[in-house]
Amino acid sequence: MDNQKLILTKLDQVVEQIREQIIAGEYERGERLKQADIALKLGVSVTPVREALKALEMEGYVRSFPNRGIYIPEYSERDIQEIFQVRLMLEEFLVTQALDHIQPSDIDDLQRVQDQFLACLREQDYVGMRIANVKFHFKLYEAAGCQQTLQFVRVLWAKYPFGFQDQKNIRRFELINREHQAILDMLRAGDRQGVLEHFRHHLMAGKQWLDKFSP
């Protein structure tokens, strides 16, 4: 039983790592994923990678094609517009719920992630910043305790084009740093309306930036 639990825990970790890498833009839309390369990168065998990709396909992060392999799916501009509107609705709901349940320790965890983001920003580590951004959002959402909605949001993030051109992103990442810190400041101050206003501005600003610079 203990061995089975260990295997499941390891698989969960691999799923989470690959999920973060996809959202962080380490792979291009339409790119084929090679299990051996991912296993080498993560320092694991191919078996948990294969199982993790099966789980991620059910969530919409990857798509398999017989005799062709596993790919990062592509979506149309119309799809992206629809996805964003649903994201906005569900993520605002999660933040609203999180405000009813968030603890000082949760805010401290968010600050640590934000500190990681800032360190990556100073190094211009784009992948590191994207991963820290993912962690920041989902740590906040997890405080809501709404597992079903959280799962829907994970699926929507899987479909969203976060990996747009790096050379156009440094200014956006600087703004993300300020926006995240503003949300944290409002959380510490207990300013519920301020959190919601800053959060909505944060999502809308990201969407406007994507519309401006996406191909």
Side-chain angles (χ1 to χ4, degrees):
M1 183 69 176
D2 289 341
N3 288 338
Q4 183 180 6
K5 184 176 181 181
L6 180 62
I7 291 171
L8 289 174
T9 301
K10 184 175 182 180
L11 175 59
D12 291 340
Q13 291 173 347
V14 173
V15 169
E16 184 64 23
Q17 286 176 294
I18 299 174
R19 184 191 288 120
E20 285 183 353
Q21 290 169 356
I22 292 171
I23 294 175
E26 288 197 47
Y27 305 103
E28 298 291 333
R29 291 289 172 185
E31 180 177 348
R32 182 180 181 183
L33 299 182
K34 298 179 180 178
Q35 296 179 21
D37 290 349
I38 296 173
L40 182 63
K41 186 174 184 177
L42 298 182
V44 298
S45 69
V46 172
T47 300
V49 171
R50 183 184 303 115
E51 295 305 310
L53 290 174
K54 289 179 182 178
L56 290 169
E57 182 170 18
M58 294 178 66
E59 295 180 1
Y61 282 81
V62 301
R63 186 176 298 164
S64 62
F65 298 91
N67 303 317
R68 289 179 53 197
I70 300 172
Y71 291 80
I72 303 295
E74 298 180 272
Y75 297 94
S76 69
E77 179 60 29
R78 182 175 180 179
D79 291 335
I80 292 167
Q81 296 296 331
E82 179 184 352
I83 290 165
F84 178 77
Q85 292 303 320
V86 181
R87 275 193 57 208
L88 184 63
M89 178 177 64
L90 294 182
E91 290 173 48
E92 284 188 320
F93 168 77
L94 286 174
V95 173
T96 301
Q97 294 300 308
L99 288 169
D100 292 333
H101 303 286
I102 198 162
Q103 301 296 313
S105 59
D106 297 322
I107 299 174
D108 290 341
D109 288 343
L110 283 165
Q111 186 64 63
R112 280 189 281 273
V113 175
Q114 175 61 11
D115 291 344
Q116 293 172 10
F117 185 98
L118 180 57
C120 292
L121 175 62
R122 289 170 174 162
E123 296 294 324
Q124 295 194 16
D125 176 358
Y126 292 104
V127 171
M129 284 186 284
R130 288 190 184 126
I131 290 175
N133 180 59
V134 174
K135 289 180 177 179
F136 184 92
H137 278 259
F138 281 94
K139 278 189 178 296
L140 177 57
Y141 302 157
E142 286 165 3
C146 300
Q147 294 304 315
Q148 299 306 312
T149 306
L150 184 64
Q151 179 62 19
F152 287 135
V153 171
R154 287 191 184 280
V155 171
L156 292 170
W157 274 56
K159 302 173 185 291
Y160 205 68
F162 287 95
F164 49 102
Q165 299 176 9
D166 284 345
Q167 64 267 28
K168 296 177 180 176
N169 275 357
I170 192 61
R171 175 58 178 160
R172 177 61 199 142
F173 282 124
E174 290 170 349
L175 293 173
I176 288 172
N177 178 62
R178 296 178 190 176
E179 292 160 8
H180 282 183
Q181 192 59 57
I183 292 168
L184 275 167
D185 292 344
M186 294 296 102
L187 281 170
R188 291 194 186 280
D191 185 347
R192 185 185 185 94
Q193 190 59 37
V195 170
L196 293 172
E197 289 177 358
H198 278 81
F199 178 77
R200 184 177 180 85
H201 167 77
H202 175 54
L203 288 192
M204 294 301 298
K207 179 61 168 58
Q208 290 165 3
W209 194 269
L210 176 63
D211 290 343
K212 182 176 181 181
F213 289 116
S214 61

